[in-house]
């Protein structure tokens, strides 16, 4: 990324976070970045190109906020019960930690934008795939150790689990009893992992 491109991208990200896609104004973004309209067209081709690139970068940054040490911690689990406890602990963290809640809300908003704006779909899908790959890697590591169900499709589980967490984002405002939700969710998340 060139030196002129980064300030423009960062300004577009700030605008998206404050205003959303439809209310983000190019003149404001250019002023914030101290950039010219010609640099917008040179680097991104159009307003939509800039906003698509900024949304994809914003999503990438959100995914990078996830603690990569979690993969190492999961791989240190040697028994089924240790891995199930780890998964339950991560579920609790994801729905109770304020930073995780905010990250989930942002990912849902970006996903909604990707449904509406075709130019975003591929970039957001590629970033999402990387996130699912990490979850699936944890499952496969447990399968290789023989501590979780061997026939479980790791990617299907990763997609289902992540979808459940993003779905929680949509229901938090109307069902605020997180403890009761977690009681059901923990059982649902660990049940497919248990060896049969």
């Amino acid at each position: 990324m060139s030196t002129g491109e980064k300030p423009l991208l960062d300004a577009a990200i700030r605008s998206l976070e404050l205003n959303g896609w439809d209310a983000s104004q190019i003149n404001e973004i250019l002023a914030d970045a101290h950039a010219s309209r010609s640099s917008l067209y040179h680097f991104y081709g159009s307003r939509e190109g800039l906003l698509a690139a900024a949304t994809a970068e914003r999503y990438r940054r959100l995914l990078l906020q996830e603690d990569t040490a979690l993969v190492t911690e999961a791989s240190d689990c040697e028994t089924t019960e240790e891995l199930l406890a780890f998964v339950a602990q991560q579920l609790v963290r994801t729905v109770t930690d304020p930073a995780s809640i905010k990250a989930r809300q942002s990912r849902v908003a970006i996903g909604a934008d990707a449904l509406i704006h075709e130019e975003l779909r591929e970039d957001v899908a590629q970033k999402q795939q990387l996130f699912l790959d990490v979850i699936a890697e944890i499952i496969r590591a447990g399968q290789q150790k023989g501590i979780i169900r061997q026939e479980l499709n790791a990617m299907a589980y990763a997609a289902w689990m992540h979808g459940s967490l993003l779905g929680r984002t949509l229901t938090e405002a109307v069902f605020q009893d997180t403890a009761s939700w977690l009681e059901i969710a923990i059982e649902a998340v660990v049940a497919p992992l248990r060896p049969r």
Side-chain angles (χ1 to χ4, degrees):
M1 182 178 304
S2 71
T3 56
E5 192 175 358
K6 184 170 179 0
L8 196 51
L9 190 64
D10 289 342
I13 290 170
R14 286 190 293 276
S15 181
L16 285 167
E17 288 171 348
L18 291 172
N19 307 312
W21 183 288
D22 293 330
S24 288
Q25 301 295 316
I26 288 301
N27 289 338
E28 292 173 11
I29 293 170
L30 292 173
D32 182 21
H34 305 289
S36 67
R37 191 169 288 274
S38 63
S39 63
L40 162 73
Y41 295 115
H42 172 73
F43 293 121
Y44 300 102
S46 67
R47 172 190 184 271
E48 286 69 28
L50 172 62
L51 294 181
T55 300
E57 177 61 15
R58 183 174 168 223
Y59 199 74
R60 186 187 74 80
R61 290 177 186 179
L62 284 168
L63 294 178
L64 288 175
Q65 287 176 3
E66 294 295 323
D67 190 352
T68 56
L70 296 177
V71 175
T72 303
E73 188 178 335
S75 66
D76 289 343
C77 295
E78 294 297 330
T79 68
T80 299
E81 292 311 313
E82 284 178 356
L83 187 58
L84 297 182
F86 169 81
V87 170
Q89 176 187 15
Q90 296 315 308
L91 182 66
V92 170
R93 179 191 60 81
T94 302
V95 299
T96 60
D97 175 60
S100 293
I101 292 168
K102 184 176 181 188
R104 277 188 297 113
Q105 291 168 343
S106 293
R107 287 197 304 267
V108 167
I110 290 168
D113 280 343
L115 291 174
I116 297 167
H117 302 285
E118 189 173 323
E119 58 272 19
L120 287 177
R121 287 185 195 137
E122 187 176 331
D123 278 343
V124 170
Q126 288 173 353
K127 306 296 187 291
Q128 183 65 36
Q129 184 63 54
L130 295 173
F131 190 71
L132 294 180
D133 288 343
V134 170
I135 298 171
E137 179 183 333
I138 291 170
I139 302 308
R140 288 187 193 108
Q143 288 172 322
Q144 288 174 350
K145 290 180 180 181
I147 60 175
I148 61 172
R149 198 173 95 198
Q150 294 296 312
E151 67 276 10
L152 181 67
N153 181 310
M155 187 55 71
Y157 177 83
W160 170 80
M161 180 181 175
H162 191 56
S164 296
L165 290 169
L166 294 180
R168 176 62 183 146
T169 305
L170 299 173
T171 62
E172 284 169 321
V174 295
F175 186 74
Q176 297 176 2
D177 186 352
T178 301
S180 293
W181 184 88
L182 277 168
E183 185 178 330
I184 293 167
I186 289 170
E187 186 175 328
V189 166
V190 301
L193 300 176
R194 290 188 187 280
R196 292 184 176 167

